[in-house]
């Protein structure tokens, strides 16, 4: 048997029983009103009760079948002779089934009475259905009518079974095979019962429409039809639609047993027979299931006997058909799901009823159920479906549950087997076999009379039927009419029988009468058919609904499954991502740890070296004088001053004379033509790597509008930077190394990749000079961030630090550059160029920076020098000390390198700056122009010159004599020096080469204007001899320069001269401006190899690594032009004369109209003024000249910026005659002396002098030393109160000095002591204390301890711009320290210069030291003695002008003298004063000199250093 649409028979049975139990509780045991629910669910009125009736019928029939099955099982074993082998097989299989289900059956058997037609529980339920809502008369009448039909049919068929059990069995066995087969094929069997359950209509479904049924020709036909029909719609097999309902349910569920084939045979036989006997048309199934349909045929068959047809024959045919039907019903079993047992039952019952009417008189043995099996089988079949669900409930309720054996025992047993197997959950494949089962043993049957059997079987049912007839008499009497329209249920006849008689036999006889049978079949049958049909419709609807819902559910599930798959994939990818992140994190941690180790190693080495230097220096603790004979090696330090000049030399532990190095031979160079050709062949690249050479278009790449947006667009800089690791290259002068840049929230780290093959190839000597390989830089140290190009790609960044060094990185792409900039502090490009400190400024293009900056205007107004302006242009155009290919470019400005004297007033000594260096010589200009015009090479655009004015090679050539450039040069030239005839050996020779050699168009580098050391072979390198035998060592200087310092000074004077100032904008046009490229460049003979221009190649588009490497090498060889800053002519500089009446500037020329002495201010006290500090900047809250007397009384004398020429800031007519200094009112009135007196005691041995005091740059605090407790102290000038005491020395502090102050007022303070040490402190302009931490102002820590003196320190000067501290002790040389604590050198004066007393350092690198007895020495910051002199005065105060060119002195003679610092040439002597000079200072504009006198007064002198400028003297 087929399973019931995926539901096993056990499941179906338990489902049915549970459903029935629920109905018992919720419907029969309650008085709930269902009308609201029905309305809500769109059900017809009374639908719920009708469904309950269908369910009750189904369960009742199932119980019948179960009882019959049990009986049949017993019969199987008692009877050994079976009609056929087939039936035997089926019997055995049934037995197997029953065995397999013993456990279940035994439970059920206890509560069921197999002899009864219906079990108590079913009777009670039927009663409940009818009488529950008896008030609703219409509904109750309908239900009563249906129940009357149901019970009547069952009773009659039971009666027939009792009469003729034997014959039924025989027939049923013979038919079973066919019937079964038929059933198997019938559509219904496949239908799933569950669908009807919900709708309460499953059983109904199985019943065909009565109308369909009517066409049946004969009753038997109808039977079989019913079964088939049931099969079709409801899942029951044909004949027993009605019975099939029940039987099918029971049996179908049982239909799971092992011998499926046997069953099939049996069923097929049954079906075939039933077809033959009464069931020709396939539509009959409908009739069968539909009692309604069946009735017509049955009626006709019933009436036929009257027409002469033998009742016996009809009965036989009836019996045969029912058997088929029964079997079918069993098979239909699978359908039992359909709760519409009633439907199925009805058709079956109808047949049974018919049959019973025609039953032959032959009586089966009383006990033999099989006699009547056919009819009963049908009936029970019909019920079965309904009963199946409730099998358990029914079983428990009525122990006596009636076996409901219908006509043929066999049929009954087959039904019961099916039901039992359903109960047990086994598939009843044996159903057919069951039908073959023999009837109960005949002994039992014979032993019992028919009457007794009837009474036994019907004693419980009859009262219910009578009760209904009586209670519904009025309705039933109207409904049940005879064949002639007469009422059958009238007082005299039928009703009396119902009311008074209790005889079962009477009742059965009444029902068996032809009139009653016809009437019940015709009238009550219609109600039952209607009931079943409703169920069927509901079943179909429910099935559609369930299919729809199932489809929806499947769709939803599929979607969820897809979502699950997606989520799972997402989860897996997240896991993978997480794992990758973790791996990255671990990698980063490993990287950071190893980086930290490397860094610590480097730091430790540096520290060790520093300690060694301090200890073993000849002034150190372990030093000896003998060490001075050892050769000291020096290298150029990376420290830059404010103008980006690198001038400081430091000890070089890696230094050597490179004695192992050979010289190149001339043959190694080849001819110029070969060089040119070689360059050409190397440089010709295919067009794929080139950007189109439309230079005009190139010019417009960056529009002019971008400057506006640069300053006006909203700052996006508040975005938090991201930390992380960035792949990067560290770009240092000759080494570019791959590594990783790590950015945290407070610092940057760079870690070189030491496993990189290219790194391993780098010579260790070169690496020794490369800083930052394991670098760490604090965010707080970053001062500026510039976008840079590297190899013509805009992927670099240069970061400038507070320690005045810079570091350059190159990144894979511009996106990374942007991310890095947004990860760094918001510093912009620093504070020097008048641009906001914003990240977008760091990312701005050079052209944007140029246009937005105020430097051009400042240069035009002569507020900054030519040198400073050129340095600015180089910096923003991407020139960097870190990339020798992009080294800053400066012009040749002089042409006369021959004459003994150089007159800077002669135009002929100056170069024409409007032409490029290659076009200065007329012949070479013609050659270059022709070369461009006759260019024939395909792969390369035409150009005038094959090499650029600035390349790595030319830079190394210029700087060959100083480390680390010597090492860099050797590294780049196979460890060989140039051939002496090709080397840079003399300035005049180099100039001539630039004029005549077609391959030499070198411009200069900034060092030519500030670094005299580059011209001296201080390390003693062996550079060979020229052809004429001249050794190559120091550079040959022009005749007019006696020493390198002279050359540099004069060259710088020439650069700042009026001739150059007037032309410089033209040279800027060539190098940085509109003549750099395009048609203007062609006209100006200024076109270079295309690979030197920005934008000419995009390296990322070159996928071939070899070709890319070749390209990079070529770019390195060609050099790189600076970024183009402007595409229109650069504005010229204003002339000096035009500026005469404008605000002062250091280079202004004007007549000295004023008197030498402006004013004298006498203080009430006669105590000598030992310290003067003129902090007169207009932006200060109190511009003043602060004076301190010997008695430690200070005065804050207000400064009025009114002196000077008309047009000066603050100038007004009323104030024109006011004096510049106004005495401190508290001192003048003598009213607030207490606020101006420092009362703390100083050590008695201290002689108060100018070194004992320091005034902060804002005039608000005075620092005083000399106290007995070895401290120095900070006082407020407003209140005179002590604000901080600073300890640190082991003896009395003897001198103080302050460095120049920067934005914010921060500066360095140096204290010198008798303990022979100096301490470097940091003054915080923000917190107005020594030290960074206001919470720890009691115990600030010094930044550095400077040692090396053997005696008490008496004088000190500190220059923050140079990072140097120069100090002198009572005896011994002056020492030069860096501000990090390294002792650089001693400034050894001449023989008698042993006791320094005054020191003045200028940021230009001059250090003037005044010794005892008026001896002066001028040293360069690198320790070279430049000049010395002796004056006949006890000098008490010295001062260098801000440009370092002029020295002012004053002493006990009371005379102020002005000297030229470089050679101590006397420039001017002021009129003498009546007292000695003890202190002096210059106003911020360098135009007023204020001196403190021994008499307790101050004198203000007019001073203008321009008056002694050569141009002023010679031209005005």
């Amino acid at each position: 048997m087929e399973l019931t649409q995926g539901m096993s028979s056990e499941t179906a049975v338990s489902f049915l029983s549970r459903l029935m139990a629920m109905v018992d509780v919720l419907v029969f045991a309650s008085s709930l009103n269902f009308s609201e629910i029905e309305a809500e669910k769109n059900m017809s009125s009374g639908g719920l009760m009708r469904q309950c009736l269908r369910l009750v019928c189904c369960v009742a029939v199932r119980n019948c079948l179960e009882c019959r099955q049990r009986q049949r099982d017993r019969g199987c074993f008692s009877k050994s002779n079976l009609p056929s082998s087939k039936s035997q097989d089926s019997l055995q299989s049934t037995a197997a089934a029953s065995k397999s289900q013993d456990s279940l059956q035994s439970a059920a058997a206890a509560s069921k009475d197999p002899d009864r037609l219906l079990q108590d529980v079913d009777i009670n339920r039927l009663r409940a259905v009818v009488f529950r809502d008896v008030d609703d008369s219409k509904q109750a009448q309908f239900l009563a009518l249906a129940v009357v039909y149901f019970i009547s049919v069952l009773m009659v068929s039971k009666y027939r079974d009792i009469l003729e059990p034997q014959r039924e069995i025989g027939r049923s066995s013979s038919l079973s095979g066919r019937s079964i087969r038929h059933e198997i094929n019938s559509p219904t069997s496949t239908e799933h019962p569950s669908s009807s359950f919900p709708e309460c209509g499953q059983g109904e479904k199985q019943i065909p429409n009565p109308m369909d049924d009517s066409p049946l020709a004969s009753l038997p036909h109808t039977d079989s039809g019913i079964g088939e029909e049931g099969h079709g719609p409801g899942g029951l097999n044909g004949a027993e639609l009605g019975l099939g309902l029940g039987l099918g349910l029971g049996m179908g569920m049982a239909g799971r047993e092992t011998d499926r084939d046997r069953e099939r045979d049996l069923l097929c036989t049954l079906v075939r027979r039933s077809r033959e006997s009464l069931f020709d048309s396939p539509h009959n199934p409908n009739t069968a299931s539909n009692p309604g349909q069946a009735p017509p045929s049955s009626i006709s068959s019933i009436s036929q006997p009257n027409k002469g047809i033998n009742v016996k024959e009809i009965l036989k045919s009836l019996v045969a058909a029912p058997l088929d039907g029964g079997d079918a019903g069993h098979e239909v079993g699978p359908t039992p799901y359909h709760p519409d047992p009633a439907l199925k039952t009805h058709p079956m019952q109808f047949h049974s009823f018919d049959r019973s009417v025609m039953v032959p008189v032959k009586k089966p043995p009383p006990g033999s159920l099989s006699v009547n099996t056919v009819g009963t089988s049908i009936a029970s079949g019909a019920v079965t479906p309904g009963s199946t669900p409730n099998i358990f409930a029914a079983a428990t309720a009525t122990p006596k549950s009636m076996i409901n054996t219908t006509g043929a025992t066999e049929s009954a047993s087959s039904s019961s087997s099916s039901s039992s197997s359903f109960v047990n959950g086994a598939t009843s494949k044996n159903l057919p076999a069951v039908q073959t089962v023999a009837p109960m043993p005949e002994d039992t049957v014979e032993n019992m009379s028919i009457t007794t059997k009837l009474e036994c079987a019907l004693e419980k049912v009859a009262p219910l039927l009578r009760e209904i007839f009586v209670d519904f008499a009025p309705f039933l009497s109207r409904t049940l009419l005879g064949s002639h329209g007469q009422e059958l249920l009238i007082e005299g006849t039928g009703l009396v029988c119902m009311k008074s008689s209790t005889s079962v036999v009477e009742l059965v006889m009444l029902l068996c009468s032809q009139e009653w049978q016809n009437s019940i079949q015709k009238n009550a049958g219609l109600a039952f058919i209607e009931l079943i049909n409703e169920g069927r419709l509901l079943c179909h609807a429910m099935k559609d609904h369930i299919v729809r819902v199932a489809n929806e559910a499947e769709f939803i599930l599929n979607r969820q499954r897809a979502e699950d798959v997606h989520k799972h994939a997402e989860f897996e990818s997240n896991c993978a991502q997480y794992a990758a992140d973790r791996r990255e994190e671990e990698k980063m941690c490993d990287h950071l740890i190893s980086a930290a180790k490397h860094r610590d190693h480097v730091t430790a080495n540096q520290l060790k070296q520093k300690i060694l230097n301090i200890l073993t220096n000849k002034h150190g603790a372990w030093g000896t004088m003998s060490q001075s004979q050892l050769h000291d090696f020096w290298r150029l330090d990376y420290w830059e001053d404010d103008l980006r000049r690198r001038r400081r030399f430091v000890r070089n532990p890696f230094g050597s004379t490179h004695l192992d190095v050979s010289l190149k031979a001339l043959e190694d160079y080849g001819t110029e033509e070969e060089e040119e050709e070689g360059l050409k062949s190397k440089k010709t690249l295919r067009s794929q790597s080139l950007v189109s050479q439309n230079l005009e278009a190139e010019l417009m790449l960056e529009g002019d509008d971008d400057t506006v947006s640069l300053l006006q667009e909203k700052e996006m800089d508040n975005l938090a930077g991201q930390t992380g690791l960035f792949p990067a290259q560290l770009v240092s002068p000759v080494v570019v190394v791959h590594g990783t840049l790590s950015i945290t929230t407070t610092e940057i780290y760079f870690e070189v990749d030491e496993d990189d093959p290219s790194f391993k190839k780098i010579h260790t000597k070169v690496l020794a000079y490369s800083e930052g390989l394991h670098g760490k830089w604090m965010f707080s140290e970053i001062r500026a961030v510039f976008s840079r190009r590297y190899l013509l790609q805009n992927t670099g960044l240069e970061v400038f630090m507070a320690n005045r060094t810079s570091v350059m990185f190159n990144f894979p792409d511009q996106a990374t550059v942007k991310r890095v900039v947004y990860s760094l502090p918001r510093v912009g490009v620093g504070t020097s160029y008048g641009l906001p400190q914003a990240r977008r400024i760091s990312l701005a293009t050079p052209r944007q920076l140029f246009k937005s900056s105020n430097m051009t205007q400042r240069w035009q107004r002569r507020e900054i020098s030519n040198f400073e302006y050129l340095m600015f242009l180089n910096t923003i155009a991407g020139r960097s000390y870190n990339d020798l290919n992009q080294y800053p470019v400066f012009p040749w400005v002089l042409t006369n390198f021959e004459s003994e004297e150089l007159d800077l007033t002669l135009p002929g000594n100056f170069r024409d700056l409007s032409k490029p260096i290659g076009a200065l010589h007329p012949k070479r200009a013609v050659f270059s122009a022709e070369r461009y015009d006759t260019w024939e090479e395909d792969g390369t655009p035409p150009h005038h010159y094959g090499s650029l004015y600035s390349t790595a090679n030319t830079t190394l050539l210029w700087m060959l004599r100083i480390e680390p450039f010597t090492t860099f040069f050797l590294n780049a030239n196979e460890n060989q020096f140039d051939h002496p005839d090709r080397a840079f050996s003399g300035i005049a020779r180099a100039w001539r080469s630039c004029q005549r050699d077609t391959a030499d168009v070198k411009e200069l580098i900034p060092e030519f204007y500030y670094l005299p050391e580059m011209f001296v072979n201080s390390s003693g390198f062996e550079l060979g001899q020229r052809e004429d035998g001249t050794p190559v060592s120091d550079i040959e200087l022009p005749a007019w320069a006696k020493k390198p310092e002279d050359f540099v000074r004069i060259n710088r004077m020439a650069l700042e001269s009026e001739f150059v100032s007037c032309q410089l904008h033209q040279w800027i046009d060539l190098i940085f401006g509109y003549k750099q490229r395009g048609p203007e460049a062609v006209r100006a003979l200024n076109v270079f190899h295309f690979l030197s221009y920005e934008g000419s190649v995009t390296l990322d588009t070159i996928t071939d690594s070899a070709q890319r490497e070749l390209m990079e090498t070529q770019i390195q060889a060609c050099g790189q032009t600076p970024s183009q800053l402007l595409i229109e002519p650069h504005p010229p500089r204003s002339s000096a004369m035009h500026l005469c009446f404008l605000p002062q500037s250091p280079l202004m020329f004007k007549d000295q109209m004023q008197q030498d002495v402006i004013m004298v201010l006498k203080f009430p006290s006669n105590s000598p003024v030992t310290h003067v500090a003129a902090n007169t900047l207009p932006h200060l809250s109190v511009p003043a000249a602060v004076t301190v007397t010997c008695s430690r009384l200070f005065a804050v004398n207000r400064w009025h910026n009114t002196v000077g020429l008309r047009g000066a800031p603050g100038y007004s007519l009323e104030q024109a005659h006011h004096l510049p200094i106004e005495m401190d009112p508290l001192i003048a009135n003598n009213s607030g002396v207490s606020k101006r007196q420092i009362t703390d005691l100083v050590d008695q041995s201290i002689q108060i002098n100018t070194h004992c005091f320091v005034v902060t740059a804002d005039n608000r605090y005075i620092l005083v030393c000399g106290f007995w407790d070895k401290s120095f102290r900070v006082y407020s000038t407003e209140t005179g109160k002590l604000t901080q005491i600073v300890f640190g020395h082991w003896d009395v502090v003897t001198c103080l000095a302050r460095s120049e102050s920067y934005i914010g007022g921060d500066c360095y303070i140096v204290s010198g002591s008798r303990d022979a040490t100096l301490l470097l402190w940091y003054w915080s302009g923000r917190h107005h204390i020594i030290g960074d931490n206001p919470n720890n102002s009691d115990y600030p820590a010094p930044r550095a301890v400077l040692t090396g003196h053997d005696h008490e320190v008496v004088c000190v000067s500190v220059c923050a711009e140079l990072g140097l501290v120069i100090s002198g002790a009572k005896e011994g040389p002056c020492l030069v320290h860096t501000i990090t604590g390294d002792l650089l050198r001693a400034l050894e004066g001449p023989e008698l210069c042993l006791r320094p007393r005054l020191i003045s350092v200028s940021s230009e690198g001059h250090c003037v030291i005044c010794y005892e007895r008026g001896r002066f020495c001028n040293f360069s910051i690198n320790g070279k003695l430049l000049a010395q002199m002796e004056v006949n005065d006890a000098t008490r105060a010295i001062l260098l002008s801000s440009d370092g060119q002029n020295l002012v002195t004053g002493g006990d003679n009371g005379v102020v003298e002005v000297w030229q610092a470089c050679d101590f040439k006397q420039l001017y002597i002021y009129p003498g004063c009546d007292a000695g000079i003890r202190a002096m200072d210059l106003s911020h504009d360098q135009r007023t000199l204020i001196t403190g006198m021994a008499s307790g007064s101050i004198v203000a002198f007019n001073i203008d250093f321009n008056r002694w400028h050569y141009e002023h003297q010679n031209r005005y």
Side-chain angles (χ1 to χ4, degrees), residues 367 652 718:
N652 181 14
N718 297 325

Side-chain angles (χ1 to χ4, degrees), residues 171-228:
R171 176 156 316 214
S172 76
S173 68
S174 62
L175 291 181
S176 64
R178 271 147 66 189
S179 161
I180 285 168
R181 193 160 289 135
H182 179 266
E183 286 218 309
I184 287 168
N185 299 334
S186 97
T188 336
S189 59
T190 56
E191 187 158 43
H192 54 78
S194 68
S195 68
S196 73
F197 247 116
E199 287 278 348
C200 304
Q202 216 169 32
E204 286 178 5
K205 264 186 165 179
Q206 294 163 348
I207 296 174
N209 207 327
M211 303 318 294
D212 301 345
D213 227 2
S214 22
L216 294 185
S218 69
L219 189 80
H221 228 48
T222 324
D223 241 335
S224 152
I226 290 173
E228 249 180 302

Side-chain angles (χ1 to χ4, degrees), residues 1039-1081:
W1040 44 259
K1042 303 293 179 273
K1043 53 182 189 272
E1045 288 74 18
D1046 287 346
F1047 172 76
V1048 166
R1049 180 174 56 83
I1050 293 170
N1051 208 25
R1052 172 71 191 271
M1053 285 169 66
L1055 179 66
E1056 302 300 341
S1057 69
E1058 197 60 23
F1059 289 115
V1060 172
S1061 293
C1062 293
Q1063 293 187 79
L1064 190 57
H1065 64 281
Q1066 296 181 303
W1067 183 83
I1068 293 171
D1069 286 335
L1070 291 167
I1071 306 298
F1072 303 102
Y1074 78 111
K1075 291 183 181 176
Q1076 188 199 83
R1077 38 173 57 182
E1080 291 294 341

Side-chain angles (χ1 to χ4, degrees), residues 422-444:
F422 177 77
V423 172
N424 290 338
T427 326
S428 175
K429 291 184 180 171
N430 304 322
L431 288 186
V434 173
Q435 289 180 328
T436 4
V437 174
M440 286 178 157
E442 295 194 359
D443 314 337
T444 359

Side-chain angles (χ1 to χ4, degrees), residues 664-694:
K664 274 192 184 178
L666 272 177
E667 299 80 57
D668 295 344
Y669 292 97
T671 65
E672 285 175 22
E673 288 76 20
E674 285 169 7
E675 267 184 52
E676 231 359 80
E677 289 308 311
L679 267 176
K680 278 185 199 169
S681 61
K682 255 200 265 174
K683 292 177 196 164
T684 48
L685 290 196
R686 295 309 98 210
S687 54
Q688 82 254 13
S689 58
L690 305 186
V691 176
S692 81
Q693 285 298 307
N694 182 350

Side-chain angles (χ1 to χ4, degrees), residues 940-952:
T940 315
H943 49 253
H944 296 111
Y945 318 105
S947 63
L948 195 64
Y949 41 77
S950 167
T951 65

Side-chain angles (χ1 to χ4, degrees), residues 733-955:
V734 291
V735 175
V736 179
V737 291
H738 289 271
T740 307
L741 187 71
S742 320
I743 300 183
T744 69
T745 50
T746 53
E747 57 257 316
I748 331 172
Y749 301 95
F750 179 80
E751 186 58 26
V752 66
D753 178 8
E754 296 194 347
D755 300 326
D756 189 47
S758 60
F759 179 78
K760 293 178 177 172
K761 292 179 195 165
I762 300 172
H763 200 288
T764 49
K765 284 183 181 175
V766 176
L767 289 177
Y769 292 112
S770 300
E771 298 192 347
L773 295 177
H774 304 286
K776 171 185 176 180
W777 301 272
M778 305 294 292
F779 275 15
S780 55
E781 297 171 7
I782 296 177
R783 293 291 174 266
V785 178
F786 282 88
S787 295
R788 287 284 180 248
R789 287 182 307 159
Y790 178 67
L791 294 177
L792 301 178
Q793 314 304 301
N794 293 305
T795 53
L797 272 188
E798 191 168 18
V799 183
F800 289 81
M801 304 296 170
N803 66 1
R804 295 175 174 272
T805 60
S806 63
V807 59
M808 182 169 167
F809 300 105
N810 183 47
F811 298 97
D813 49 50
Q814 281 180 285
T816 311
V817 174
K818 195 167 187 179
R819 283 166 56 212
V820 171
V821 168
Y822 275 88
S823 302
L824 295 177
R826 194 171 62 196
V827 292
V829 294
T831 55
S832 310
Y833 304 149
L835 292 167
Q837 290 190 279
R839 293 190 179 100
R840 62 192 159 84
I841 302 293
S842 295
L843 291 168
T845 62
R847 193 176 301 172
Q848 288 173 324
L849 290 177
F850 176 80
K851 294 217 169 188
S852 307
S853 158
N854 61 3
M855 295 291 278
T856 305
Q857 292 74 30
R858 291 180 64 199
W859 173 73
Q860 287 179 277
R861 295 196 300 263
R862 295 182 181 242
E863 291 173 25
I864 58 175
S865 63
N866 290 336
F867 182 93
E868 187 174 353
Y869 186 57
L870 288 175
M871 211 63 199
F872 157 73
L873 295 176
N874 273 287
T875 302
I876 64 167
R879 311 308 280 182
S880 166
Y881 289 126
N882 288 308
D883 184 358
L884 294 182
N885 253 308
Q886 302 189 81
Y887 210 76
V889 193
F890 269 65
W892 289 92
V893 292
L894 291 172
T895 57
N896 179 358
F897 299 103
E898 314 294 337
S899 58
E900 291 290 325
E901 295 289 329
L902 180 68
D903 185 352
L904 290 182
T905 62
L906 291 179
N909 289 334
F910 289 90
R911 162 198 169 178
D912 179 359
L913 286 169
S914 65
K915 295 177 182 172
I917 196 84
L920 287 175
H921 196 282
K923 286 184 181 175
R924 193 165 70 166
V926 170
F927 170 81
S928 301
E930 281 180 4
R931 169 183 176 160
Y932 185 90
D933 296 337
T934 60
W935 191 264
E936 290 176 356
E937 204 172 322
D938 294 338
T940 315
H943 49 253
H944 296 111
Y945 318 105
S947 63
L948 195 64
Y949 41 77
S950 167
T951 65
N953 281 339
T954 60
T955 303

Side-chain angles (χ1 to χ4, degrees), residues 928-1113:
S928 301
E930 281 180 4
R931 169 183 176 160
Y932 185 90
D933 296 337
T934 60
W935 191 264
E936 290 176 356
E937 204 172 322
D938 294 338
T940 315
H943 49 253
H944 296 111
Y945 318 105
S947 63
L948 195 64
Y949 41 77
S950 167
T951 65
N953 281 339
T954 60
T955 303
L956 291 173
L957 190 75
W958 294 134
M959 302 286 280
L960 173 70
R961 286 162 181 77
I962 56 178
E963 288 285 15
F965 294 95
T966 317
T967 302
F968 294 163
F969 180 91
L970 293 173
N971 182 65
N973 289 278
E974 298 164 354
N975 210 34
Q976 289 181 315
F977 284 125
D978 264 338
H979 186 279
D981 287 325
R982 303 292 292 257
F984 170 42
S985 56
I987 289 172
R989 204 173 287 113
W991 169 250
R992 283 197 300 275
S993 171
C994 290
Q995 297 306 292
R996 299 170 186 169
D997 185 343
T998 54
D1000 183 357
V1001 289
K1002 293 189 287 288
E1003 289 281 13
L1004 299 186
I1005 55 176
E1007 283 80 358
F1008 271 82
Y1009 296 95
Y1010 67 79
L1011 192 70
E1013 288 82 0
M1014 69 178 281
F1015 305 110
V1016 181
N1017 183 14
S1018 57
S1019 298
F1021 302 133
E1022 294 288 345
L1023 300 175
Q1025 292 184 336
R1026 298 177 54 76
E1027 277 181 0
D1028 55 10
T1030 318
V1032 176
S1033 182
D1034 290 350
I1035 297 294
E1036 291 176 26
L1037 299 172
W1040 44 259
K1042 303 293 179 273
K1043 53 182 189 272
E1045 288 74 18
D1046 287 346
F1047 172 76
V1048 166
R1049 180 174 56 83
I1050 293 170
N1051 208 25
R1052 172 71 191 271
M1053 285 169 66
L1055 179 66
E1056 302 300 341
S1057 69
E1058 197 60 23
F1059 289 115
V1060 172
S1061 293
C1062 293
Q1063 293 187 79
L1064 190 57
H1065 64 281
Q1066 296 181 303
W1067 183 83
I1068 293 171
D1069 286 335
L1070 291 167
I1071 306 298
F1072 303 102
Y1074 78 111
K1075 291 183 181 176
Q1076 188 199 83
R1077 38 173 57 182
E1080 291 294 341
V1082 177
R1083 273 199 286 278
L1085 303 183
N1086 193 35
V1087 179
F1088 298 88
H1089 192 281
F1090 76 94
L1091 276 183
S1092 65
Y1093 289 99
E1094 181 175 14
S1096 62
V1097 62
T1098 308
L1099 290 177
D1100 288 341
T1101 59
I1102 305 173
T1103 48
D1104 181 7
S1105 56
Q1107 192 175 3
R1108 179 175 175 137
E1109 203 172 322
L1110 176 68
M1111 174 70 78
E1112 289 178 1
T1113 313

